[in-house]
Amino acid sequence: MELIVIAKPTILKEECNLINQLFEAGLQIFHLRKENVDEAAYRKIIEGISPEYHPRIALHHFHSLTDDYNIQRIHHTESFRKERDNGELLRNKIFSTSIHHLADIEQIQQYQYSFFGPVFNSLSKPGYRGVIPSDFRLEKQQAIPKIIALGGIGLAEIDQLKTMNFDGVALLGSIWNDPSLALTNFKKARAKCLAYAQNLTIQ
């Protein structure tokens, strides 16, 4: 089971140091998504992250910055995907997107993976409620992109997501709501995801 961390929507003090610590602890993919932040702020964040980790960053905005840094991942929001020409997908990058309805899976087969949610009630956006029942199980064909659960995911929910057949989880609120616990929570979540992946390998 893959584990992805999404940036806090607003600027956080000492954020880059914490992101570097998450990478050092084994984070494989970090989605840089900031609301109402300009390109200069994006550059400052990227430059505060060790260059060795730049290929693991996925940009939600200012995609042209991939040409200035060794960034290999680009994320298309749902609105971007629906409004723009996807000619950008021809570039030699790893592309991800987001969906909120499973019926949209057929529209995203050119992407490597997609977020789906909110699965549970959001931890970072009060009032943003989950959209799936507790007995949900994702039925999907092997050919479609990996589906990553997003929304309201803490340590207790990871086990439930395993039985729902998701390919991975994305953490936001459980990491950033209390930055002092970010590294601890990440390590615990990573251990759960690794144990699940190892069980799949053994089977």
Side-chain angles (χ1 to χ4, degrees):
M1 175 172 276
E2 296 195 22
L3 178 59
I4 295 172
V5 171
I6 301 176
K8 184 178 177 65
T10 55
I11 299 294
L12 179 69
K13 185 178 180 181
E14 299 296 325
E15 182 173 18
C16 293
N17 289 337
L18 188 47
I19 294 169
N20 282 324
Q21 290 177 41
L22 293 175
F23 278 126
E24 290 168 6
L27 177 62
Q28 294 300 305
I29 305 174
F30 173 72
H31 274 247
L32 180 51
R33 182 188 72 183
K34 294 288 185 182
E35 299 173 359
N36 303 315
V37 169
D38 61 17
E39 182 175 328
Y42 259 65
R43 286 184 180 275
K44 185 174 181 179
I45 294 170
I46 294 169
E47 290 170 2
I49 298 172
S50 297
E52 65 186 289
Y53 301 131
H54 287 179
R56 302 189 203 174
I57 299 172
L59 289 182
H60 281 234
H61 306 96
F62 310 112
H63 296 161
S64 62
L65 292 179
T66 60
D67 296 328
D68 297 333
Y69 304 94
N70 186 24
I71 293 177
Q72 305 299 319
R73 299 173 176 273
I74 291 176
H75 184 86
H76 287 169
T77 63
E78 188 172 46
S79 59
F80 182 97
R81 186 184 75 247
K82 292 181 176 180
E83 294 174 4
R84 304 293 182 90
D85 180 358
N86 282 337
E88 185 183 33
L89 290 170
L90 298 175
R91 299 171 59 185
N92 187 25
K93 300 290 183 182
I94 298 171
F95 286 88
S96 57
T97 189
S98 301
I99 59 173
H100 295 88
H101 305 283
L102 289 176
D104 291 341
I105 284 179
E106 296 180 359
Q107 304 171 13
I108 60 170
Q109 296 193 14
Q110 67 271 47
Y111 289 88
Q112 278 77 13
Y113 62 93
S114 175
F115 295 133
F116 170 69
V119 177
F120 306 115
N121 296 343
S122 175
L123 299 176
S124 59
K125 297 180 179 180
Y128 202 53
R129 305 190 64 80
V131 297
I132 62 173
S134 59
D135 60 350
F136 173 84
R137 180 172 172 81
L138 181 64
E139 301 296 340
K140 55 189 180 60
Q141 299 176 352
Q142 198 67 26
I144 70 169
K146 293 180 180 179
I147 303 299
I148 309 298
L150 171 66
I153 301 171
L155 295 176
E157 286 72 32
I158 292 177
D159 291 331
Q160 186 176 351
L161 291 169
K162 297 173 186 176
T163 65
M164 290 181 172
N165 202 32
F166 283 97
D167 296 299
V169 300
L171 303 182
L172 198 164
S174 60
I175 298 295
W176 304 112
N177 284 356
D178 186 349
S180 68
L181 295 176
L183 192 58
T184 298
N185 287 343
F186 170 77
K187 288 179 178 179
K188 290 179 179 179
R190 182 171 182 266
K192 281 179 172 283
C193 291
L194 284 175
Y196 182 59
Q198 291 166 358
N199 288 338
L200 283 181
T201 301
I202 293 172
Q203 292 173 0

